[in-house]
Amino acid sequence: MATSVDPGTAVGGKAAAAPRVWTRRRREALAGYAFVAPDLLGLLVFVGLPMALAVGVSLFSVDGFGGYTYVGLDNFRQMADDAQLWQSVQVTLTYMVTFVPIGFVVSLGLALLVRDHFPGVGLVRTMFFLPHVISLVVVGVVWQFLLADKQGAVPALLRPMGLGDVSFLGNPALALGSLVVISVWFLMGYQMLILLGGLKDIPKEYEEAARVDGATSWQRFRFVIWPLLRPTSFFVLVNSTVGAVTGLQAFDLVYVLTKGGPANSTSSVVFYIYQQAFTFNNYGYAAALTTVVVGFLVVATGLMFGFTKGGRFDVG
């Protein structure tokens, strides 16, 4: 009589190891991890490690010549009595609450303008996006030339209206507003493209159905486009909020155009941290400020994600 052999039994009675099967789901997961790995490595090396070092340095008094003295939480306690710091916080908050909504509204308007195809739409989109590909330092130098007191192109254009003597960068009441306008001009094309991608993902059938039902343009935007655009809008708002606090425009433009002046009216928190570190050699205090700012952004962003369910708002 022939005896059957258990396929899971090998020579010597030991069970043979089952061959590892690379399922499609496992291969896709591995490919996903491979794509994410370089970005994750970059975040750990260029963001995570510097932040860990900043937290460590914030506990010391650093004299700029390699001398470290442990001071515990003294650098954090110093913030409460730093009047210039709180002025910089006020400047940053004012800049944020003006730049973020104005930039979003302008970018959304441009995205709606160039959403549909018309002759030359590609050129129009390129023109709106073009400022974003220019270095912010170059942008600052160009606008400094345009806004130069009495000699710039903008005062020359306003001279017939009696505004030729207005100092846009030398007047504390106008300097921060000028930075907001330049920031919106610089970033509107980038945000426009992101919002344009969100608009393109909205099926045309929804708008056509609303149009057939007699909905006006405003009603179609309010009840069809806007609810479906919320996740993209949330990303743009979070991105611009973080950028308004710690982005390049919060430092580069300030450094090139005003150096924080006049009368510290444009001194953002990021610029103040730069001053503490590289002007006054107060690296420990600068590290403490950086730690607090990043912690605030992490908490604020987490709350925004939690309350809005990642931009989905009413999705359970």
Side-chain angles (χ1 to χ4, degrees):
M1 179 182 297
T3 58
S4 60
V5 180
D6 187 354
T9 303
V11 178
K14 296 182 178 180
R20 189 173 184 179
V21 179
W22 288 91
T23 62
R24 179 178 179 181
R25 183 176 181 181
R26 183 175 295 175
R27 291 195 301 270
E28 290 178 349
L30 182 62
Y33 288 129
F35 279 113
V36 171
D39 201 20
L40 180 61
L41 181 62
L43 285 174
L44 290 176
V45 173
F46 298 107
V47 178
L49 181 59
M51 279 309 307
L53 293 175
V55 173
V57 174
S58 68
L59 304 177
F60 292 84
S61 176
V62 187
D63 58 15
F65 298 97
Y68 286 75
T69 303
Y70 180 76
V71 295
L73 299 177
D74 286 354
N75 286 323
F76 294 92
R77 297 190 186 100
Q78 182 181 342
M79 298 178 192
D81 300 323
D82 191 344
Q84 189 174 347
L85 168 63
W86 292 110
Q87 182 180 0
S88 298
V89 171
Q90 182 179 359
V91 169
T92 302
L93 292 177
T94 303
Y95 175 80
M96 181 180 67
V97 298
T98 52
F99 161 72
V100 173
I102 293 176
F104 178 79
V105 171
V106 172
S107 302
L108 180 58
L110 293 178
L112 292 171
L113 178 66
V114 301
R115 176 180 57 159
D116 298 324
H117 179 77
F118 58 85
V121 63
L123 178 61
V124 174
R125 293 174 182 173
T126 302
M127 291 176 58
F128 286 138
F129 183 75
L130 190 60
H132 190 69
V133 304
I134 305 173
S135 168
L136 260 175
V137 175
V138 176
V139 169
V141 172
V142 171
W143 277 98
Q144 190 176 46
F145 172 76
L146 293 175
L147 297 175
D149 294 352
K150 297 183 180 180
Q151 299 178 351
V154 174
L157 292 174
L158 296 177
R159 190 167 292 117
M161 293 180 287
L163 301 175
D165 294 332
V166 175
S167 178
F168 291 95
L169 300 179
N171 187 338
L174 299 176
L176 186 58
S178 300
L179 286 175
V180 171
V181 172
I182 297 171
S183 300
V184 171
W185 174 82
F186 175 74
L187 286 169
M188 65 181 183
Y190 168 72
Q191 295 180 350
M192 176 200 71
L193 286 185
I194 297 177
L195 292 169
L196 181 61
L199 291 172
K200 290 293 186 180
D201 284 338
I202 300 176
K204 286 289 187 181
E205 291 79 5
Y206 295 166
E207 291 188 65
E208 293 297 332
R211 184 180 289 107
V212 171
D213 290 339
T216 62
S217 299
W218 167 248
Q219 290 173 331
R220 292 197 300 271
F221 173 79
R222 180 181 177 183
F223 297 108
V224 179
I225 297 176
W226 177 246
L228 297 175
L229 194 63
R230 281 177 177 177
T232 306
S233 301
F234 176 76
F235 171 80
V236 172
L237 289 173
V238 170
N239 194 38
S240 59
T241 299
V242 174
V245 178
T246 61
L248 292 177
Q249 74 270 19
F251 174 78
D252 288 21
L253 286 179
V254 172
Y255 184 84
V256 174
L257 289 172
T258 64
K259 296 293 191 300
N264 294 323
S265 61
T266 60
S267 178
S268 63
V269 171
V270 174
F271 185 78
Y272 183 66
I273 293 174
Y274 164 81
Q275 285 182 314
Q276 289 295 321
F278 300 105
T279 302
F280 308 123
N281 292 327
N282 198 351
Y283 296 103
Y285 188 49
L289 291 172
T290 302
T291 301
V292 172
V293 169
V294 173
F296 166 76
L297 287 176
V298 170
V299 173
T301 305
L303 291 175
M304 292 174 70
F305 269 90
F307 285 124
T308 64
K309 297 181 176 65
R312 293 170 295 177
F313 296 89
D314 55 353
V315 178

